[in-house]
C-alpha cells in the first residue's frame, strides 16, 4: 500500500517566463485543500484591491502613471501569480 502525500504549489507567468513554486508538502489532504482555498481567496482579494490602480488601453492592462513608483512592484508580483493548487504524489 502506497502512502499519499500532497504537494502544494502555485504557478504564474506565461509562455517563456512560466514558473511554479513549491510551498510545502503534507500528508493530510484537508490541510492542502484548506491552504489552497485560503491562498486563492487572498490572491483574488489582493488582485481586486490593486485593480483600482490599473488602466486599460488598446486591450492591455497596465498600472496608472501616478501609482507606478509606489505600487508597481507588488502589483506586478500579484499579476504574475495565477493560482495555487495541490497535487497528489506517492511516497516510495
Amino acid at each position: 500500500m502506497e502512502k499519499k502525500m500532497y504537494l502544494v504549489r502555485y504557478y504564474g507567468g506565461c509562455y517563456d517566463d512560466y514558473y511554479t513554486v513549491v510551498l510545502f508538502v503534507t500528508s493530510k489532504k484537508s490541510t492542502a485543500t484548506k491552504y489552497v482555498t485560503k491562498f486563492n481567496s487572498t490572491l483574488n482579494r489582493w488582485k481586486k484591491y490593486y485593480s483600482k490602480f490599473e488602466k486599460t488601453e488598446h486591450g492591455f492592462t497596465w498600472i496608472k502613471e501616478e501609482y507606478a513608483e509606489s505600487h508597481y512592484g507588488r502589483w506586478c508580483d500579484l499579476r504574475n501569480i495565477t493560482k495555487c493548487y495541490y497535487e497528489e504524489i506517492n511516497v516510495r
Side-chain angles (χ1 to χ4, degrees):
M1 182 169 157
E2 292 184 9
K3 183 171 172 135
K4 303 285 184 186
M5 298 292 282
Y6 301 92
L7 191 63
V8 178
R9 11 169 98 188
Y10 71 86
Y11 70 92
C14 58
Y15 303 112
D16 290 342
D17 68 345
Y18 174 83
Y19 63 92
T20 62
V21 176
V22 175
L23 297 171
F24 66 93
V25 65
T26 182
S27 60
K28 294 183 178 181
K29 185 175 184 178
S30 63
T31 302
T33 304
K34 286 178 187 177
Y35 187 88
V36 166
T37 302
K38 187 172 183 175
F39 184 102
N40 288 331
S41 174
T42 304
L43 178 64
N44 288 336
R45 255 194 333 261
W46 278 111
K47 282 186 173 188
K48 184 177 179 182
Y49 172 77
Y50 276 92
S51 70
K52 67 183 177 184
F53 306 120
E54 295 176 341
K55 64 180 177 180
T56 302
E57 290 181 3
H58 309 292
F60 293 101
T61 302
W62 200 249
I63 194 162
K64 294 178 184 174
E65 287 293 324
E66 61 266 25
Y67 301 112
E69 196 168 311
S70 58
H71 296 302
Y72 177 76
R74 176 65 71 171
W75 173 82
C76 187
D77 291 343
L78 288 170
R79 184 175 176 204
N80 285 333
I81 298 173
T82 305
K83 73 174 188 173
C84 183
Y85 65 99
Y86 70 88
E87 63 182 76
E88 190 176 285
I89 57 173
N90 295 321
V91 178
R92 295 185 207 184

